[in-house]
Amino acid sequence: MPSNQIDPTKWVDSYSDYLFNYTIARVNDREMAQDLISETFMAGLKSMKNFKGDASERTWLISILKRKIIDHYRKSNSKKGKAEVHINYKDEESEGDWLEERVADPYDRTAEDDIQNQELGEAIYLCLGKLPEKQATIFKMKTIDGFDTETICNEFDITASNFWVIIHRARTAMADCMKKSWF
């Protein structure tokens, strides 16, 4: 299969557990996590034509899911909510209509998106600055810089279990801070 093609028939088996673990850590509500994952798959189906193959399917789905999670928090903190749009679908076996939440196309960015991304980046670094120095450095190396666990453990002379405790504490503190400063 060429690198810019995806196979949605394998998404549930291949990615649902990973997406669920990612989501439940951020929304702490099993039913909402399942709904967000379903919405992610639906949005992925809708925007398959925009998949360019620059990232893996999983990374692409995570980017959609991140937007869904942000929209979830915005909607819960906003009386307006978001508009809904009607989507027609047609595949080899069936055709019909879905009512789907509007999803921003990551390749169709506006000035507002750029401002929001800048504000989000500033909020993340503000929260990162509130963490203890070692915790912030380890968290940044893992989540922003993409270093693998073994490299970080070797650099800081810590065990893997100690590493994961630090990451968990950093994520918890970051989530609390982001709720206050961003959501």
Side-chain angles (χ1 to χ4, degrees), residues 88-122:
N88 295 320
Y89 72 92
K90 186 174 189 175
D91 61 30
E92 294 174 17
E93 298 175 10
S94 60
E95 109 180 48
D97 299 318
W98 287 325
L99 197 58
E100 175 67 18
E101 182 179 66
R102 184 180 69 221
V103 177
D105 178 352
Y107 302 104
D108 182 26
R109 294 179 43 177
T110 65
E112 183 181 340
D113 292 333
D114 290 339
I115 291 169
Q116 287 178 351
N117 285 342
Q118 181 180 350
E119 290 172 352
L120 177 60
E122 290 170 3

Side-chain angles (χ1 to χ4, degrees), residues 6-20 33-48 57-58 60-62 64-65 68 98 100 103:
I6 52 181
D7 186 1
T9 62
K10 296 181 180 172
W11 287 354
V12 172
D13 291 337
S14 300
Y15 307 119
S16 59
D17 288 342
Y18 180 83
L19 295 176
F20 179 78
Q34 291 169 339
D35 288 348
L36 289 170
I37 293 165
S38 295
E39 290 175 18
T40 297
F41 287 151
M42 298 294 281
L45 286 171
K46 177 187 172 207
S47 61
M48 280 175 49
E57 269 184 329
R58 185 175 93 167
W60 180 71
L61 288 169
I62 283 289
I64 295 170
L65 178 59
K68 291 291 181 188
W98 287 325
E100 175 67 18
V103 177

